[in-house]
């Protein structure tokens, strides 16, 4: 079950279903979804995601990946894409490199607008990587590519109508 603790201050929203052929709830991420950029020996390939059951009134989606266990006061944003058209209900493996037409890629905490895979500090224990798809009640959030994931999520406070979560883990021993 999803641990809501990092999202405790957010309003409760309905949920829908999020699945993946690349990652699984509570399971260790494969090397493809581990970071090369951050030196963890991976490939920085965004996972395949499919979602269904979003509520009526969904006009777009936002996809994020967040590590609440990162050793910073604000966690670590690994991936953020907004304004995904409502007609899109799947992202293929590696879609971060070429998101759907109209979608906006945002700079993550690694300083790139691409997907940065898992990279917890060695010996820091298992980190949770919260993949979240948020159904949005507007076709486009009023954010551009310069908006941080925090700003995107602030906008979701007003426009998010449902969320779907999937939380794989990763640990460097």
């Amino acid at each position: 079950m999803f641990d809501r603790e990092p999202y405790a201050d957010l309003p409760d929203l309905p949920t829908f279903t999020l699945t993946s052929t690349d990652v699984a709830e509570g399971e260790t991420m494969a090397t493809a979804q581990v970071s090369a950029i951050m030196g963890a020996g991976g490939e920085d390939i965004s996972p395949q995601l499919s979602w269904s059951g979003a509520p009526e009134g969904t006009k777009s989606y936002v996809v994020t990946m967040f590590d609440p266990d990162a050793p910073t006061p604000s966690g670590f944003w690994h991936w953020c894409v907004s304004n995904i058209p409502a007609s899109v209900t799947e992202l293929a493996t590696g879609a971060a490199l070429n998101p759907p037409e109209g979608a906006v890629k945002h700079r993550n905490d690694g300083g790139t607008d691409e997907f940065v895979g898992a990279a917890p500090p060695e010996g820091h224990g298992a980190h949770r990587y919260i993949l979240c798809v948020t159904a949005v009640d507007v076709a486009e959030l009023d954010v551009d590519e310069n908006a941080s994931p925090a700003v995107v999520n602030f906008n979701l406070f007003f426009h998010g109508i449902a969320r779907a979560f999937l939380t794989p883990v990763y640990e460097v021993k």
Side-chain angles (χ1 to χ4, degrees):
M1 189 68 183
F2 172 70
D3 176 10
R4 203 174 139 70
E5 174 262 324
Y7 291 89
D9 293 334
L10 293 179
D12 283 327
L13 292 178
T15 60
F16 54 103
T17 302
L18 176 60
T19 60
S20 175
T21 58
D22 294 325
V23 297
E25 182 69 29
E27 298 294 323
T28 299
M29 287 182 160
T31 301
Q33 282 73 51
V34 173
S35 185
I37 295 168
M38 303 295 281
E43 301 174 35
D44 294 302
I45 299 172
S46 61
Q48 182 277 342
L49 300 173
S50 298
W51 54 90
S52 62
E56 190 172 321
T58 299
K59 295 183 180 170
S60 67
Y61 296 99
V62 171
V63 173
T64 59
M65 187 170 93
F66 178 69
D67 174 0
D69 304 311
T72 70
S74 59
F76 191 95
W77 290 100
H78 287 258
W79 189 27
C80 183
V81 181
S82 66
N83 300 343
I84 298 170
S87 61
V88 175
T89 57
E90 179 177 5
L91 296 177
T93 301
L97 293 173
N98 189 24
E101 187 172 335
V104 176
K105 299 190 313 182
H106 300 276
R107 189 166 300 283
N108 58 45
D109 288 344
T112 175
D113 67 359
E114 304 298 337
F115 174 86
V116 171
E122 185 173 348
H124 200 252
H127 282 212
R128 297 166 290 163
Y129 294 89
I130 302 169
L131 288 152
C132 179
V133 177
T134 303
V136 182
D137 67 358
V138 293
E140 294 183 5
L141 290 173
D142 188 20
V143 295
D144 64 18
E145 67 279 355
N146 296 312
S148 69
V151 169
V152 172
N153 277 276
F154 178 78
N155 278 268
L156 290 177
F157 181 81
F158 304 100
H159 294 289
I161 57 174
R163 293 188 187 97
F165 296 103
L166 188 59
T167 308
V169 298
Y170 191 75
E171 177 177 5
V172 176
K173 295 181 182 184

